[in-house]
Amino acid sequence: MIPAPFDYAAPTSLEEAVGLLNEHKGARILAGGHTLLNEMKIHYIDTPSMLVDLRRIPVLRGIKHAEDGTLRIGAMTTFAEIASDQGILKRYMALAEAANSTPDTPVRNWSTIGGNLAASSVGADLHAAILTFEATLNVFGRQGLRTITAHDFISGGFVLAADEIITSLDFPATAQKSGSAYEKFKNRASGYAVCGVALYAVPASDGTLRECRVAVTGVTNHAIRLPHIETILQGKRPDEELVITPNMISEEQDFIVDLAASAEYRAYLTQVLIGRALKQAIAETTSL
Ligand SMILES: Cc1cc2nc3c(=O)[nH]c(=O)nc-3n(C[C@H](O)[C@H](O)[C@H](O)COP(=O)(O)OP(=O)(O)OC[C@H]3O[C@@H](n4cnc5c(N)ncnc54)[C@H](O)[C@@H]3O)c2cc1C
């Protein structure tokens, strides 16, 4: 369980970090280290030639709520910081709940939103919430800055170059009257989601759902939105009996089968958790 020797650097600017990643073939970015260091210890990956620690780069940290209601979260912001931010708790509850659902306090204190995205683990909690809020990622590398949708990144449609660093995530403003929630059925051994549902709901004045976005993690190789379920829910009253079935949920994707759950059970969990998340999101609805 001891990794092979490697070099370590802690640059203080993005430019310096990108320079190091370019100069040292086989160098890897180090954020909270809770995935990377474990993978090195068990020799799941080849030991990097150098770890480029992002911790001393101030621009990568912090949570900023702009006056227009948008939100920017620096890539090195930890789960604990996200889960306790008052603005996020008020306007992006599903994100706070997803960050808080990682069962271990040390993990929440070290793991970062950028590392969680880049690690691309199956059942990663934040991914569902990030998809639900339709966030975009800012990425910096030798070629400069570029912006990509979280959907493209999470679905594997965009792959980071070896010298590219996720710098921050931008979240559009939520509707004036809206609510969101994250509901999870966790794997008792790992803590990851066997199924985790993030839901964002905008009620209309007559009490029906004007808009409803649903994303699920843990049931397929990467988190996904469920647009066909969103279409079914829109226009319905949240207190109506749910008209969705497990078959409808899994009809457009092959769900994972593993030791934790069958595909059918994952579809059933998704149905149950959508119902809970919807109830919770409506209960959490706030008006600005
Ligand atoms: C005991 C335990 C329980 C856990 N339970 C859960 C859980 O229930 N739910 C859950 O979602 N997660 C869980 N995790 C995962 C944990 O949250 C991840 O380790 C974390 O999300 C990865 O973030 P990190 O900051 O530690 O990244 P690191 O481990 O430092 O890096 C992970 C990967 O991302 C790359 N990287 C990091 N930052 C950037 C960046 N800014 N730009 C580009 N690439 C980058 C690294 O090079 C590396 O390849 C658990 C981990 C442990 C150890």
Side-chain angles (χ1 to χ4, degrees):
M1 295 292 184
I2 297 175
F6 54 87
D7 285 331
Y8 171 86
T12 53
S13 73
L14 271 179
E15 291 73 13
E16 197 188 337
V18 169
L20 286 164
L21 290 166
N22 273 301
E23 281 160 29
H24 297 267
K25 196 170 174 313
R28 294 281 292 262
I29 293 165
L30 175 67
H34 269 59
T35 294
L36 183 61
L37 297 181
N38 287 337
E39 288 179 348
M40 288 166 62
K41 280 197 244 173
I42 60 170
H43 298 277
Y44 181 72
I45 56 168
D46 291 338
T47 302
S49 58
M50 171 184 272
L51 291 186
V52 178
D53 191 342
L54 302 183
R55 201 176 327 171
R56 293 200 185 145
I57 305 178
V59 73
L60 296 177
R61 285 211 102 95
I63 297 170
K64 289 191 191 102
H65 296 274
E67 276 186 14
D68 62 1
T70 57
L71 165 69
R72 172 166 286 187
I73 303 180
M76 286 296 285
T77 307
T78 64
F79 286 22
E81 288 164 337
I82 291 168
S84 61
D85 180 85
Q86 288 309 309
I88 293 179
L89 284 164
K90 189 163 178 216
R91 305 301 308 164
Y92 302 87
M93 179 60 100
L95 187 64
E97 288 178 342
N100 206 34
S101 76
T102 299
D104 227 299
T105 307
V107 176
R108 290 197 297 274
N109 286 341
W110 279 92
S111 298
T112 65
I113 189 167
N116 188 256
L117 267 172
S120 306
S121 307
V122 175
D125 294 293
L126 292 186
H127 294 203
I130 288 168
L131 283 180
T132 307
F133 290 118
E134 300 185 332
T136 51
L137 277 68
N138 299 307
V139 171
F140 183 75
R142 195 173 24 171
Q143 309 294 341
L145 189 65
R146 42 184 181 155
T147 300
I148 44 171
T149 65
H151 174 269
D152 282 352
F153 186 79
I154 289 172
S155 64
F158 175 95
V159 180
L160 290 177
D163 71 339
E164 280 188 314
I165 298 171
I166 301 169
T167 59
S168 59
L169 282 90
D170 287 331
F171 292 77
T174 51
Q176 288 237 319
K177 190 175 179 206
S178 60
S180 66
Y182 180 71
E183 290 286 333
K184 170 177 179 179
F185 183 88
K186 71 171 187 222
N187 182 314
R188 286 185 191 278
S190 71
Y192 280 88
V194 174
C195 177
V197 169
L199 187 145
Y200 167 73
V202 183
S205 53
D206 64 359
T208 59
L209 288 168
R210 180 155 67 79
E211 188 180 358
C212 186
R213 297 189 214 138
V214 186
V216 58
T217 185
V219 300
T220 49
N221 288 336
H222 57 77
I224 49 170
R225 282 274 291 272
L226 297 174
H228 56 304
I229 301 301
E230 295 174 2
T231 307
I232 293 171
L233 289 173
Q234 271 152 31
K236 300 279 184 323
R237 298 189 68 83
D239 51 3
E240 274 177 44
E241 200 169 321
L242 275 187
V243 283
I244 48 177
T245 64
N247 280 348
M248 285 177 184
I249 288 167
S250 55
E251 72 189 7
E252 296 197 357
Q253 298 274 344
D254 287 333
F255 276 20
I256 296 173
V257 181
D258 62 14
L259 284 177
S262 63
E264 292 75 18
Y265 190 52
R266 281 188 158 89
Y268 169 72
L269 284 173
T270 309
Q271 180 203 27
V272 171
L273 297 183
I274 288 173
R276 287 186 193 164
L278 181 57
K279 234 182 231 163
Q280 195 56 30
I282 294 300
E284 301 278 354
T285 297
T286 52
S287 295
L288 279 183

